[in-house]
Amino acid sequence: MVVVLAELDAGRTPDRATLRDAVRTLLGDLAGRAPGRAVEVRVPPYGAVQCCAGPRHTRGTPPNVVEMAPVTWIRLATGRMPWSEAVEQGLVQTSGNRSDISAYLPISPY
């Protein structure tokens, strides 16, 4: 995680494997912090988790989806970018009335 953040802070893109591992770690942390299956958070191509309390989704496209690029996810999850800024800039795509996950961010103070 430290390597990814150092690369991002220096204005560089981390290597693919390191970025993938950081994304997956933070998605797992989100699922642990916000247990449930009402919202699907997608960070293609590296991962997705279902989280947050509420009606459980079982088939097809979930009604509550949050999707973003890996670098955006890392910045949001570590507090380097506020949720509102990411949404305003169009860096996060959301659908459904439960898709605001800002209450669970940042996940980690890395």
Side-chain angles (χ1 to χ4, degrees):
M1 184 66 63
V2 174
V3 172
V4 170
L5 294 175
E7 289 292 304
L8 292 176
D9 289 346
R12 296 184 297 265
T13 301
D15 72 80
R16 185 173 171 87
T18 305
L19 185 60
R20 178 198 64 224
D21 292 346
V23 165
R24 290 179 179 172
T25 295
L26 291 168
L27 284 172
D29 291 348
L30 173 64
R33 185 171 186 189
R37 299 180 64 86
V39 179
E40 185 166 291
V41 178
R42 300 173 180 168
V43 184
Y46 300 128
V49 295
Q50 290 187 352
C51 59
C52 302
R56 181 177 178 202
H57 163 74
T58 56
R59 281 198 243 167
T61 302
N64 302 292
V65 176
V66 178
E67 187 167 328
M68 69 203 82
V71 170
T72 301
W73 171 240
I74 299 288
R75 289 186 174 137
L76 285 170
T78 59
R80 285 173 162 70
M81 175 182 279
W83 173 262
S84 58
E85 181 180 321
V87 171
E88 287 171 14
Q89 291 181 15
L91 299 173
V92 176
Q93 291 75 47
T94 63
S95 66
N97 61 356
R98 295 177 184 270
S99 61
D100 181 348
I101 60 168
S102 62
Y104 305 106
L105 301 173
I107 295 168
S108 174
Y110 288 103

